[in-house]
Amino acid sequence: MIGPYYLQLLILIGINTIMATSLNLILGYTGQLSIGHAAFMSLGAYGSALVTLHFGFPFLVSLLCGALFAAFFGIIIGLPTLRLKGDYLAIATLGLGEIVRIVFLNLELTGGAVGLRGIPKKTTLLWVVLAVLFTVFILSRIIRSRIGRAFIAIREDETAADSMGINSTYYKTLCFGVGAFFAGLGGGLFAHYMRYLNPNSFGFMRSIEHLCMVVLGGLGNMWGAFIGATILTVTPELLRTVADLRLLIYGAVLVLMMRVRPQGLLGQPLRNGIPLLGRFFQQARPKL
Amino acid sequence: MKSRKRTMFVAAAAVLCLVLLAAIAGCAPKEPANGGDETTEIKIGMVGPLSGDAAAYGINILRAAEIAIEEANASGELGDITLKIISEDTEGDWAKAANAFTKLIDVDGVSVIIGGVLSSESEAGSDIVKDAAIPTISPSSTSVDLTKGNPYLFRNCLSDEVQAVQLAEFAVEELGMGKFAILFTKNDYGESLRDAFKNKAEELAEVVAVESFMDKDNDFKAQITKIKEKNPDCLYIAGYYTEAAKIAQQAQQAGMDIQLLGADGLCNVVFLEVGEDAVEGTYATSGFYPDDPMTAVQDFVKAYKDKHGEEPDMFAAQGYDAARIVIEAIKSKGTTSEQIREGIAATADFPGITGKTSLDEEGDTIKDVLILKVENGKFVRVR
Amino acid sequence: MFIQQLINGLILGSTYALIALGYTMVYGIIELINFAHGEIYMFGAFVGLILVTVFKVPFILAFLLAMAAGALLGITVEYLAYRPLRQSSRLAALISAIGASIFLSNLALLIMGAQPYTFPSPFDATVYRTSLFVISKVEIIVLASSILLMIALTLFVQRTKVGKAMRATAQDKDTASLMGININRIITITFAIGSALGAAAGVMVGVYFRTVTPTMGLMPGLKGFVAAVIGGIGNIPGAMFGGIALGIAEVMGAAYISSQYRDAVAFALLIIVLLLKPSGLLGRTAQEKV
């Protein structure tokens, strides 16, 4: 009915949707620029894979363990860095992501540079679809709740939010924790689909890929994350027909898409000439 | 009004996604069922990094495999069967390699695959080719136990174990070395060479320093300074040619008078060009010796040079041999995937350009290791 | 050994500083993480290499021409990929920069192939040895050129009229344009200078490390940016300082902790600096506008 290749693409679209939606919570709704999402994914992937391999837990439990593991580290790592803003936060998360990768590269437990083998294949399309629905459901509930309004308030103006009695550090930590949880879930699904893990795939280019998905789809839009994930998963595969020119065109596509629709496909248009996140970025402005 | 516009946009974007999906589905050539009846064209897949940091390795293998296949098609050795190679890029990322393997098998309907190039690519593809029952031969994935327990995965590169052990013995017995230092690249290749070499060297003599570096690093002075303190008389570089040449240069500059050793990853002209006089006297294990007078080797070197204007390296030679093993398998057993698998598994004493190659029951290679030495800016065979 | 490691770190750091200078210039003006800077660095190295090996141009001339070519490429990238996004969110510009970076490195791969090229060294291999440390001529040149470029750049920004306009633009674009400064022109000039510096770094590092490849820009580009942030982004002496701090941290990490955690030490330094002084070691803390 549907060939393994298309099945694989659908599964990857699903996993990337989870990654993009969870990053969207951090970036699109709370306005925190994180370039270390792949690290959370790898924490979830390794966490759940190790649990499966060593304790033989049922799939759902392993996934949960991986996700909680990622969330735990998300909070631990996130706490100190959340004091940072804008590009500084971005570069700090990038650094943290690289540190996580290097640690995995050197751990005996995770197979080091050789990688982790023999993870059983448990992820199916059904699991992925359920996980995507679960992620989208929970995240949209959060966004429509009091917590979500606090997130958006922080995005719009952190100082103002603080003065309205919103504990921005608490909410930012919460946001990173939740985002990392779902990134870990995506990582767990990924690990049990690929059956092999190697830290090299969780470098900063992968984080950048997630970032592109969110921005391309449109910040602060659930559908946007899905559409961004779909486009950026499918386009490189589609471009396989042009062989040598594949990544050349891919790069050009990114530039062109931003030119045509800088707010992303489903992003909110600019308000009062202030770009989304614009206000937020105006802080910590360096002087030459 | 605003919400209507938004809904329209959501709809439009959703349609775009569907179109994209349909487009890939549309690109797929409608495959005839992979039956046994007269197929005159056999598709051979190739998976490897054709872009990104590791692109040089993948591209060299692809070029060489293409030469082997063109030659086979031109010579008519397969009768009315023609071979076609379809390559897919992995960008050096194993996760993308999984897509490449699945695409080749599912969409292109290849009967056999040459690849992956990096060990992580082969690891990621291992279960995929096993499930699909497509025989796959990797020309360069050296990680330990890669082919174990997978009847569809083979490799024709030197095992790290054999190379490292033989060189350690050679260094102690022939060169009289006693104090070893090891500098390895932090990937599967470097790690497994390090383990094998360290064990053997510790058994025969002494290992005083073990340091690591990252692939594509430029600066090794910190590690070299550290190693120099320990005064070893011999440095084993477990890595690839570009980094190894820079290590040699920087060690020379640091005033280290040291015997350099290495594995097949060093055997490329870039090592000689970048290393200049700093790499003189280096010993390296290899399966391939471009100046071998054997006609098969000379024919290949000439064909490769004519086509691409440069001397083939170890990767290219192994890519050529992998393709030749596949061709021989088709010749001897038949054209279906299962027959090709049997053919590859039965490879024994295959006279490859990288030496006489046999595959054991695990799909691993048994072949002789050459030891080359750099003399006057050229690799010379010493054993 | 300690002194030698310090020297090693200093030299490595000055290669990062060379890259960081261009990064910091561009960031200072438009607050964009110019991801394509690493590719301009690669491009400069290739132009220098081709001029020296194919056209047999003397090294100094090749160096200057590579800088000019880098400036041209920088202006083109700015014009095509960043200028149309000037009024949009900075994230859009960031994605555009990433796209440009992917495009350029793959274009180079297509044209030049993946095999590394050897850069013939224009300097002799003289090595100066003392009892405490060893340093080569090319290392001294790399160090000196990064210091010279930093000084020249600081003077340019502080003393010239264009430099003044740049500082005004960095501070407040709208007000600057009301004062009669042509913002577009200033941004173009900044990109030209920043990219020329990137290309200069490419040639210098190419000469120093001997090889040039299409993907050479990725990691050094990242490290250069990290160096700029450590030093205080937008701050020219800061870029130099940050580069050297990063180089020394890396080398000391490899020497006294573990060479396996070398890069991790560098990134840990980054995070520590950001936590203690978010505006970087030499950066001034900007007052938050409410």
Side-chain angles (χ1 to χ4, degrees):
Chain A
M1 177 189 82
I2 173 166
Y5 178 56
Y6 305 107
L7 188 67
Q8 177 160 345
L9 281 184
L10 287 176
I11 287 177
L12 290 179
I13 288 173
I15 294 173
N16 281 335
T17 304
I18 297 175
M19 299 309 299
T21 358
S22 55
L23 181 61
N24 200 6
L25 180 78
I26 300 175
L27 178 66
Y29 288 99
T30 321
Q32 307 299 310
L33 181 49
S34 160
I35 321 189
H37 216 53
F40 297 139
M41 185 181 182
S42 68
L43 286 163
Y46 275 106
S48 67
L50 288 174
V51 165
T52 304
L53 285 175
H54 289 288
F55 306 114
F57 284 170
F59 186 39
L60 195 61
V61 182
S62 318
L63 277 183
L64 207 64
C65 287
L68 286 172
F69 185 65
F72 175 72
F73 271 91
I75 292 170
I76 296 277
I77 296 173
L79 259 178
T81 48
L82 287 175
R83 289 174 42 210
L84 301 169
K85 291 180 176 136
D87 289 357
Y88 295 104
L89 178 67
I91 199 83
T93 49
L94 189 157
L96 282 170
E98 285 297 291
I99 292 176
V100 169
R101 187 177 69 85
I102 294 164
V103 169
F104 277 133
L105 205 53
N106 286 302
L107 280 185
E108 283 289 307
L109 184 68
T110 58
V114 179
L116 194 61
R117 285 178 193 160
I119 306 164
K121 182 169 189 165
K122 292 193 173 168
T123 305
T124 58
L125 188 59
L126 182 67
W127 275 107
V128 173
V129 170
L130 288 177
V132 170
L133 291 177
F134 174 70
T135 310
V136 172
F137 175 73
I138 298 287
L139 289 182
S140 29
R141 295 301 299 172
I142 291 179
I143 287 155
R144 297 215 180 95
S145 72
R146 201 185 142 82
I147 302 172
R149 287 194 296 276
F151 286 168
I152 293 169
I154 291 170
R155 174 186 82 194
E156 293 298 313
D157 193 327
E158 198 176 325
T159 319
D162 266 330
S163 64
M164 301 298 281
I166 292 170
N167 181 346
S168 63
T169 312
Y170 170 77
Y171 281 107
K172 283 200 287 188
T173 316
L174 184 69
C175 162
F176 258 78
V178 175
F181 178 88
F182 286 106
L185 179 70
L189 290 167
F190 183 74
H192 289 87
Y193 183 71
M194 289 295 177
R195 292 178 275 182
Y196 170 74
L197 287 177
N198 185 312
N200 283 340
S201 202
F202 301 107
F204 92 102
M205 279 319 282
R206 164 105 9 174
S207 297
I208 293 278
E209 214 178 295
H210 296 147
L211 184 71
C212 290
M213 287 172 188
V214 177
V215 178
L216 196 69
L219 289 168
N221 187 307
M222 283 287 166
W223 279 99
F226 166 68
I227 284 160
T230 309
I231 293 176
L232 288 193
T233 312
V234 172
T235 308
E237 293 300 317
L238 209 53
L239 288 174
R240 284 194 183 279
T241 45
V242 290
D244 283 359
L245 300 174
R246 191 165 81 99
L247 290 174
L248 197 73
I249 296 178
Y250 181 73
V253 164
L254 282 183
V255 174
L256 282 178
M257 280 198 168
M258 283 299 113
R259 262 190 90 150
V260 175
R261 217 177 144 76
Q263 73 270 42
L265 289 171
L266 299 186
Q268 292 154 4
L270 310 184
R271 259 164 297 161
N272 314 326
I274 298 175
L276 184 67
L277 302 181
R279 218 164 206 287
F280 155 77
F281 274 130
Q282 271 169 13
Q283 295 155 359
R285 186 181 208 163
K287 304 281 180 285
L288 192 70
Chain B
M1 182 60 201
K2 203 177 166 193
S3 78
R4 234 185 83 195
K5 214 171 156 191
R6 269 179 77 80
T7 321
M8 270 174 61
F9 228 97
V10 172
V15 169
L16 177 68
C17 287
L18 281 177
V19 169
L20 279 175
L21 271 178
I24 17 175
C27 285
K30 293 288 158 270
E31 260 332 292
N34 222 3
D37 40 69
E38 275 200 304
T39 27
T40 45
E41 187 180 74
I42 297 180
K43 289 176 180 161
I44 300 176
M46 189 271 166
V47 174
L50 306 177
S51 66
D53 267 348
Y57 316 143
I59 290 171
N60 287 353
I61 287 176
L62 175 62
R63 284 172 168 180
E66 278 172 350
I67 290 175
I69 282 162
E70 279 162 21
E71 283 172 1
N73 283 339
S75 73
E77 60 184 302
L78 290 171
D80 56 352
I81 301 166
T82 50
L83 304 174
K84 186 184 170 201
I85 193 160
I86 303 170
S87 59
E88 289 300 345
D89 180 21
T90 63
E91 300 165 42
D93 178 347
W94 57 268
K96 289 177 178 144
N99 284 353
F101 275 108
T102 318
K103 192 238 164 197
L104 283 172
I105 294 169
D106 185 30
V107 179
D108 299 314
V110 297
S111 311
V112 53
I113 294 174
I114 297 171
V117 171
L118 308 175
S119 291
S120 53
E121 293 170 356
S122 297
E123 297 272 10
S126 170
D127 286 322
I128 296 172
V129 300
K130 192 173 163 188
D131 290 351
I134 298 294
T136 298
I137 179 161
S138 166
S140 59
S141 299
T142 49
S143 88
V144 185
D145 291 343
L146 172 71
T147 55
K148 215 171 196 170
N150 187 345
Y152 289 91
L153 194 57
F154 304 92
R155 62 176 162 200
N156 69 320
C157 45
L158 284 178
S159 113
D160 292 344
E161 183 83 30
V162 177
Q163 293 194 63
V165 167
Q166 294 210 7
L167 194 64
E169 281 170 353
F170 177 79
V172 174
E173 285 156 17
E174 310 280 322
L175 307 175
M177 296 292 157
K179 275 171 91 180
F180 289 93
I182 300 172
L183 195 48
F184 69 100
T185 175
K186 194 73 205 138
N187 64 21
D188 44 271
Y189 178 65
E191 278 197 347
S192 57
L193 280 174
R194 173 204 61 186
D195 290 341
F197 191 86
K198 188 162 169 266
N199 289 341
K200 194 69 192 174
E202 274 172 347
E203 188 188 309
L204 301 172
E206 191 190 357
V207 175
V208 291
V210 180
E211 294 292 331
S212 78
F213 60 93
M214 299 293 278
D215 243 5
K216 307 296 158 196
D217 265 359
N218 279 320
D219 180 272
F220 309 93
K221 295 224 178 71
Q223 289 93 323
I224 288 169
T225 309
K226 227 171 141 182
I227 289 171
K228 193 182 169 195
E229 285 286 291
K230 302 277 170 51
N231 258 322
D233 45 27
C234 175
L235 174 63
Y236 183 67
I237 306 171
Y240 293 119
Y241 46 89
T242 318
E243 291 80 12
K246 292 178 185 177
I247 290 170
Q249 278 249 325
Q250 293 174 17
Q252 185 193 44
Q253 194 212 309
M256 268 168 101
D257 182 26
I258 197 166
Q259 174 62 51
L260 296 175
L261 303 174
D264 54 356
L266 265 51
C267 301
N268 182 297
V269 285
V270 172
F271 181 67
L272 307 172
E273 280 171 19
V274 177
E276 291 174 340
D277 57 328
V279 299
E280 273 295 312
T282 303
Y283 288 94
T285 45
S286 176
F288 177 58
Y289 175 52
D291 290 330
D292 193 314
M294 222 171 94
T295 46
V297 176
Q298 285 318 311
D299 289 349
F300 168 67
V301 172
K302 188 175 175 306
Y304 194 94
K305 263 186 177 161
D306 286 349
K307 201 164 170 205
H308 302 293
E310 57 188 42
E311 193 165 272
D313 67 350
M314 174 270 301
F315 284 101
Q318 277 166 192
Y320 183 83
D321 268 359
R324 280 305 312 173
I325 289 174
V326 169
I327 293 164
E328 293 296 331
I330 294 170
K331 229 194 301 190
S332 67
K333 298 280 179 176
T335 57
T336 67
S337 289
E338 201 47 46
Q339 288 165 335
I340 299 174
R341 191 200 75 79
E342 283 167 23
I344 297 175
T347 301
D349 290 332
F350 162 75
I353 56 172
T354 61
K356 218 171 242 174
T357 309
S358 302
L359 294 179
D360 66 12
E361 64 276 17
E362 294 288 0
D364 226 333
T365 321
I366 309 164
K367 66 177 167 188
D368 295 332
V369 180
L370 304 176
I371 294 178
L372 306 182
K373 185 184 185 188
V374 181
E375 267 174 16
N376 303 321
K378 271 195 94 62
F379 282 112
V380 179
R381 183 164 56 185
V382 291
R383 201 173 85 179
Chain C
M1 172 166 129
F2 180 77
I3 306 258
Q4 179 65 54
Q5 294 291 26
L6 209 60
I7 303 266
N8 293 343
L10 193 68
I11 308 292
L12 178 65
S14 54
T15 67
Y16 292 151
L18 277 168
I19 305 166
L21 283 173
Y23 242 124
T24 231
M25 282 281 291
V26 168
Y27 191 94
I29 295 281
I30 57 169
E31 290 169 40
L32 168 73
I33 305 178
N34 181 12
F35 256 93
H37 193 71
E39 273 58 46
I40 289 168
Y41 157 90
M42 173 268 295
F43 178 75
F46 267 117
V47 171
L49 173 79
I50 291 169
L51 287 174
V52 168
T53 55
V54 180
F55 297 101
K56 311 284 177 212
V57 174
F59 178 72
I60 294 295
L61 188 63
F63 183 74
L64 293 174
L65 286 173
M67 280 177 83
L72 216 60
L73 180 67
I75 294 172
T76 315
V77 169
E78 195 270 334
Y79 187 77
L80 292 178
Y82 305 154
R83 183 164 297 190
L85 295 170
R86 191 87 47 80
Q87 298 309 319
S88 340
S89 96
R90 288 177 39 216
L91 274 175
L94 182 68
I95 305 295
S96 195
I98 291 163
S101 152
I102 295 176
F103 180 87
L104 289 173
S105 69
N106 282 286
L107 185 67
L109 184 69
L110 208 62
I111 298 171
M112 303 305 295
Q115 207 57 269
Y117 288 82
T118 316
F119 210 121
S121 180
F123 312 112
D124 54 79
T126 320
V127 176
Y128 307 97
R129 292 174 205 280
T130 70
S131 55
L132 282 175
F133 62 88
V134 179
I135 193 164
S136 70
K137 191 171 175 184
V138 58
E139 285 175 328
I140 296 173
I141 291 171
V142 167
L143 183 62
S145 59
S146 66
I147 293 173
L148 275 177
L149 280 174
M150 179 204 73
I151 293 173
L153 202 59
T154 314
L155 287 177
F156 177 77
V157 170
Q158 297 296 336
R159 298 286 164 82
T160 64
K161 212 171 161 189
V162 179
K164 206 174 188 179
M166 278 180 179
R167 281 181 290 140
T169 310
Q171 210 152 39
D172 191 330
K173 279 187 200 51
D174 297 335
T175 317
S177 79
L178 287 176
M179 299 296 159
I181 293 170
N182 182 344
I183 302 292
N184 278 337
R185 206 178 121 242
I186 293 300
I187 291 178
T188 306
I189 293 175
T190 311
F191 262 90
I193 296 175
S195 305
L197 287 170
V203 178
M204 286 313 297
V205 176
V207 165
Y208 178 43
F209 289 129
R210 309 300 310 280
T211 54
V212 180
T213 61
T215 50
M216 69 187 273
L218 188 67
M219 229 14 205
L222 187 64
K223 294 264 180 74
F225 181 65
V226 168
V229 173
I230 290 177
I233 192 142
N235 181 311
I236 292 164
M240 180 80 206
F241 194 71
I244 286 173
L246 184 68
I248 290 178
E250 243 186 60
V251 167
M252 290 301 166
Y256 296 103
I257 299 173
S258 157
S259 51
Q260 309 204 16
Y261 285 96
R262 178 176 168 147
D263 283 349
V265 171
F267 286 113
L269 171 80
L270 166 80
I271 290 162
I272 293 166
V273 167
L274 283 176
L275 289 179
L276 298 179
K277 203 163 178 303
S279 50
L281 291 173
L282 297 189
R284 259 179 301 160
T285 326
Q287 203 58 47
E288 209 170 287
K289 281 173 250 170
V290 182

